[in-house]
Amino acid sequence: MDIDVAGNIKNILQNLPDGVRLVAISKFHPKEYVEAAYAVGQRIFGESHEQELKEKVGQLPKDIEWHFIGHLQTNKVKYIAPYISMIEAVDSMKLIREIDKQAVKNNRIIDILLELHIAEEETKYGLTLDACRDLLREGEWRSMHHVRICGLMMMASNVPDEAQIRKEMNTAWDFFNEVKHDFFSDAPWFKERSWGMSHDYKIAMQCHSTMIRVGTAIFGPRVY
Ligand SMILES: *Cc1c(COP(=O)(O)O)cnc(C)c1O
């Protein structure tokens, strides 16, 4: 391993404000990298593929909290439902329904975030603000007692323009406050704002993030 994982983690943690947690994104990196981060106290890791996650879960310490950060297909929910700590990128009622169903089977409650699509980049994933409002207004989620909606997740545009990134993150923050007020004012668990990656986590820390998802800045470039 020619990358200083421990040093990188310490560096990020040193500058992490109170109330912001680090999710170390270990996708496409071998388990030794996770172990190096674990050795300096990191306990939350994020993965985006079910198979890879399963392999790591089997080989790594049991007190790791795993977050699923990728696009999750409905037919894969059952594989991660027994152990996943949080599913971050939920963007449809169909997926919420399936997560609830699998959570019931596993006799547990699964924490999720709703993924917003705010960036100007084209992507198939994430809810527009209007679609998210509609999903919440429609209200079926209220009967899903084994899913706990804990907040919002988004990816800002991958651009060099800091002002653009800041604008998108602040849009997400405003929207968080809106839905907190309209739908979750009596839900103390609805408090998470997952935004900020390697290139923009420092901006995210100033834009009301509670969870930064950092891969490359800890583990180096991914080899696909
Ligand atoms: C890969 C990934 C990250 C981490 O990206 P880096 O640029 O390596 O920090 C964060 N969030 C999501 C959703 C990802 O897929």
Side-chain angles (χ1 to χ4, degrees):
M1 198 185 313
D2 50 356
I3 181 134
D4 182 11
V5 169
N8 292 342
I9 291 261
K10 284 183 190 160
N11 205 9
I12 294 171
L13 290 181
Q14 247 165 31
N15 299 304
L16 211 59
D18 282 348
V20 183
R21 289 185 295 160
L22 170 64
V23 182
I25 306 301
S26 49
K27 64 188 185 194
F28 296 97
H29 292 295
K31 75 173 189 352
E32 287 73 20
Y33 283 53
V34 176
E35 286 165 344
Y38 184 90
V40 291
Q42 181 63 25
R43 289 295 180 272
I44 315 177
F45 292 87
E47 289 281 335
S48 58
H49 290 95
E50 178 269 317
Q51 271 298 329
E52 185 182 355
L53 173 56
K54 183 165 116 191
E55 272 170 39
K56 285 189 176 130
V57 169
Q59 297 171 335
L60 287 159
K62 296 302 165 215
D63 62 341
I64 288 178
E65 281 180 43
W66 293 101
H67 285 206
F68 198 89
I69 57 152
H71 174 69
L72 180 58
Q73 290 170 290
T74 326
N75 62 358
K76 298 283 168 64
V77 175
K78 58 178 174 289
Y79 301 120
I80 66 170
Y83 60 80
I84 201 72
S85 284
M86 179 172 271
I87 301 176
E88 289 209 18
V90 176
D91 65 356
S92 74
M93 196 55 230
K94 180 169 171 237
L95 188 53
I96 296 176
R97 240 176 255 135
E98 179 64 16
I99 294 168
D100 187 64
K101 181 173 148 195
Q102 297 302 331
V104 169
K105 279 193 188 161
N106 286 279
N107 193 24
R108 60 182 298 240
I109 290 170
I110 297 180
D111 286 344
I112 69 164
L113 303 178
L114 298 177
E115 181 184 7
L116 300 178
H117 175 55
I118 291 173
E120 278 163 13
E121 288 153 6
E122 285 295 317
T123 153
K124 292 182 292 213
Y125 307 127
L127 295 155
T128 63
L129 303 190
D130 276 338
C132 189
R133 282 185 192 103
D134 287 347
L135 184 152
L136 291 170
R137 262 188 219 129
E138 195 273 334
E140 185 185 347
W141 58 277
R142 292 186 192 276
S143 62
M144 312 268 120
H145 297 296
H146 291 255
V147 171
R148 206 164 63 148
I149 303 177
C150 294
L152 305 175
M153 176 266 204
M154 61 85 83
M155 262 183 279
S157 293
N158 188 8
V159 293
D161 180 5
E162 252 194 49
Q164 171 76 21
I165 294 170
R166 213 173 275 280
K167 188 177 123 213
E168 291 174 2
M169 288 175 175
N170 283 323
T171 298
W173 164 240
D174 288 344
F175 187 73
F176 172 88
N177 286 316
E178 176 192 321
V179 295
K180 174 79 187 165
H181 173 270
D182 289 354
F183 301 98
F184 297 102
S185 57
D186 59 351
W189 55 85
F190 187 90
K191 60 180 168 55
E192 303 296 350
R193 284 95 57 180
S194 175
W195 45 83
M197 304 164 49
S198 291
H199 71 283
D200 60 10
Y201 74 86
K202 288 180 181 150
I203 304 172
M205 293 190 302
Q206 300 165 354
C207 295
H208 309 280
S209 174
T210 60
M211 236 184 238
I212 56 171
R213 309 179 308 267
V214 181
T216 312
I218 297 170
F219 301 115
R222 289 177 283 276
V223 180
Y224 294 102

